[in-house]
Amino acid sequence: MTAQRLDGLAIAQQIKDEVAREVAALAERGIRPGLAAILVGTNPASRVYVNSKVKTCGELGIYSEKHELPETTTTEALLHLIARLNAREEIDGILVQLPLPRHIDTQRVLDAVDPAKDVDGFHPVNVGKLMVGEPGFVPCTPAGIIELIRHTGIELKGKKAVVVGRSNIVGKPVALLLLAQHCTVTICHSRTVDLPAECRQADVLVAAVGRPEMIKGDWIKPGAVVIDVGINRVDNRLVGDVEFESAQRVAGHITPVPGGVGPMTIAMLMKNTLYAASSRA
Ligand code: GUN
């Protein structure tokens, strides 16, 4: 028996189709959602992601603009750009692609985004709303992960979820979302004493560490839902954080890399941008 593949490309397409329909409905009321994406420096992966986000906006009828700034950009300059975007009526969503160059104060930058335009859900106000269970912007990758799991039809209530990775972008928020779905959640990280043993307990395993094929097939509980957030380039090939070949023989459902979580992130960003525009309208 091999695991069922969770086809992120197909599910993301359904979400984008729905967003495109709602964008068209807003257009009839004279409203056009707008996204500003900020890219600082020369990180090639970040450039690919930002271009992909801007391109998807175009496909769905969302206005977008890309702000490309040099590696030497100061925190102050970035804060100034964000202040201008916060003030502009036609911009509903502001996205600062991470990671920023090391000399930039990332938290000060994220704090400067108007929480009502924070389509990435990284502003402390939205982080806090997620924590207390109030509606707000939810980070795109974690939201996409929950959507993928929902598509398995598996009831999350009471399940044991293990999240490997504790980043602010994926690990911590996805753990809160799984908790809100009534999972018993364990967050593992580099200092976890026996990671294989923790993973073997997981009915739902979310791997978000950025280490190629670190999680092996024999760490996986038979029938588990395995969500691989890793996108690692190895010998010009993309691999996840999970050793796919061995894992798919044990898991019940598994996301491929590429074509799993990645496309979902962009689809949820489009959804958040639509939501920002409709709530501001
Ligand atoms: N870097 C990695 N993931 C993300 C994301 O979802 N949004 C932004 N802005 N940067 C990221």
Side-chain angles (χ1 to χ4, degrees):
M1 263 268 292
T2 60
Q4 215 166 308
R5 300 252 181 128
L6 279 169
D7 186 349
L9 271 176
I11 299 167
Q13 191 58 53
Q14 289 173 20
I15 293 167
K16 288 189 288 181
D17 290 346
E18 175 66 27
V19 170
R21 277 194 292 277
E22 293 189 36
V23 168
L26 280 182
E28 299 201 338
R29 295 164 49 199
I31 298 159
R32 186 174 195 199
L35 176 72
I38 304 172
L39 173 64
V40 185
T42 55
N43 183 314
S46 289
R47 180 167 304 262
V48 171
Y49 297 143
V50 167
N51 286 340
S52 185
K53 289 167 184 179
V54 166
K55 177 165 167 272
T56 306
C57 282
E59 288 163 5
L60 306 191
I62 295 174
Y63 169 76
S64 70
E65 49 189 46
K66 183 166 72 171
H67 295 263
E68 292 193 65
L69 306 177
E71 185 81 24
T72 53
T73 301
T74 61
T75 301
E76 301 303 329
L78 203 43
L79 294 177
H80 186 72
L81 170 60
I82 290 168
R84 282 194 292 129
L85 295 170
N86 281 341
R88 279 176 56 199
E89 201 53 45
E90 69 275 29
I91 297 299
D92 298 290
I94 301 168
L95 172 157
V96 184
Q97 188 64 34
L98 302 181
L100 290 170
R102 282 181 47 193
H103 66 274
I104 291 177
D105 184 342
T106 298
Q107 197 56 54
R108 254 184 95 200
V109 168
L110 297 179
D111 290 359
V113 175
D114 180 345
K117 298 189 176 188
D118 174 35
V119 286
D120 256 332
F122 294 160
H123 189 284
V125 163
N126 288 312
V127 175
K129 285 182 174 178
L130 178 60
M131 177 69 109
V132 299
E134 261 189 59
F137 287 107
V138 174
C140 304
T141 300
I145 290 169
I146 297 299
E147 197 60 27
L148 281 171
I149 298 171
R150 211 174 57 74
H151 270 259
T152 64
I154 290 170
E155 157 99 286
L156 278 174
K157 195 188 299 179
K159 291 290 189 316
K160 185 134 176 52
V162 173
V163 178
V164 187
R166 55 173 154 177
S167 71
N168 290 335
I169 295 180
V170 183
K172 280 190 253 179
V174 82
L176 287 172
L177 290 172
L178 289 164
L179 182 62
Q181 297 295 315
H182 314 290
C183 287
T184 301
V185 183
T186 302
I187 304 176
C188 300
H189 46 78
S190 54
R191 315 296 163 87
T192 295
V193 172
D194 189 347
L195 184 59
E198 297 293 345
C199 291
R200 283 183 193 113
Q201 302 287 316
D203 302 305
V204 175
L205 180 63
V206 178
V209 271
R211 288 175 165 273
E213 300 181 321
M214 185 187 74
I215 292 170
K216 310 298 180 192
D218 67 352
W219 300 14
I220 288 164
K221 179 172 171 175
V225 177
V226 177
I227 306 289
D228 190 348
V229 188
I231 302 179
N232 311 289
R233 191 169 287 280
V234 175
D235 308 328
N236 251 347
R237 188 172 63 98
L238 288 185
V239 300
D241 292 346
V242 178
E243 193 180 76
F244 188 85
E245 194 43 46
S246 58
Q248 68 163 348
R249 281 184 254 122
V250 190
H253 295 80
I254 189 166
T255 59
V257 176
V261 174
M264 295 298 291
T265 297
I266 296 188
M268 300 318 275
L269 174 68
M270 298 299 114
K271 210 171 162 172
N272 281 353
T273 304
L274 168 69
Y275 178 77
S278 12
S279 30
R280 277 159 40 78

